[in-house]
Amino acid sequence: TTTEGYDIAQALEMLAAGDTAGGLRDLRAWVDANPRQRATRQRIGNAVYDRARDVEATGAREQALSLYEAAVALRGDAPAEWTTKIQALRKVVAEELYEAGVRAFRGDVNRAIAKWEACLKLDPQHAKAAARLKEARALQERMRRIAK
């Protein structure tokens, strides 16, 4: 489908072939230019959702989550099963980020802080990450004062 200069089929093929960034860029441009084209937006969202499932199957959960969320934005809405899937994956990815922060903490406080901040963006109610982040920031501040 070509509308307003954007070739949807080509963008969908780019996405399917693994050029996720290029495919998403072109699909976003089409959606921005044609926000009321409901049927095509559904087709685009479904294709991005399918790509997210493929990416998730490889174990790249953070990337898959980003694609699932892009699918919702491009489609303009989310079927109930998508919402359930995204919420569950957000929890899993948040927990992975929390654990990565725990592993990083001894050797790299800044990296641990970044992981826990990312965790809390996905799951603001993650109490362990909030507590560890507070502890790490306090340690970081003590280290800054000692270095002066």
Side-chain angles (χ1 to χ4, degrees), residues 35-82:
R36 292 186 184 87
Q37 297 289 326
R38 183 109 182 91
T40 304
R41 287 188 70 177
Q42 285 181 337
R43 180 173 158 220
I44 289 168
N46 292 344
V48 174
Y49 189 88
D50 290 344
R51 178 73 183 130
R53 276 200 317 235
D54 294 344
V55 168
E56 185 181 7
T58 70
R61 290 186 189 94
E62 272 187 86
Q63 183 183 2
L65 179 58
S66 176
L67 284 169
Y68 284 128
E69 290 173 341
V72 171
L74 290 165
R75 183 182 161 112
D77 62 17
E81 64 271 15
W82 287 22

Side-chain angles (χ1 to χ4, degrees), residues 15-29:
L15 185 72
D19 182 0
T20 304
L24 285 176
R25 179 195 62 236
D26 291 355
L27 292 170
R28 282 188 183 110

Side-chain angles (χ1 to χ4, degrees), residues 60-124:
R61 290 186 189 94
E62 272 187 86
Q63 183 183 2
L65 179 58
S66 176
L67 284 169
Y68 284 128
E69 290 173 341
V72 171
L74 290 165
R75 183 182 161 112
D77 62 17
E81 64 271 15
W82 287 22
T83 301
T84 301
K85 172 73 172 165
I86 290 168
Q87 288 172 341
L89 189 56
R90 285 175 78 87
K91 294 281 188 192
V92 169
V93 172
E95 190 60 30
E96 288 175 351
L97 288 165
Y98 169 75
E99 294 296 333
V102 170
R103 287 190 303 274
F105 184 65
R106 273 198 219 140
D108 188 344
V109 173
N110 293 333
R111 182 170 165 77
I113 287 172
K115 294 295 181 183
W116 291 327
E117 286 173 342
C119 169
L120 288 166
K121 278 185 184 169
L122 293 178
D123 182 4

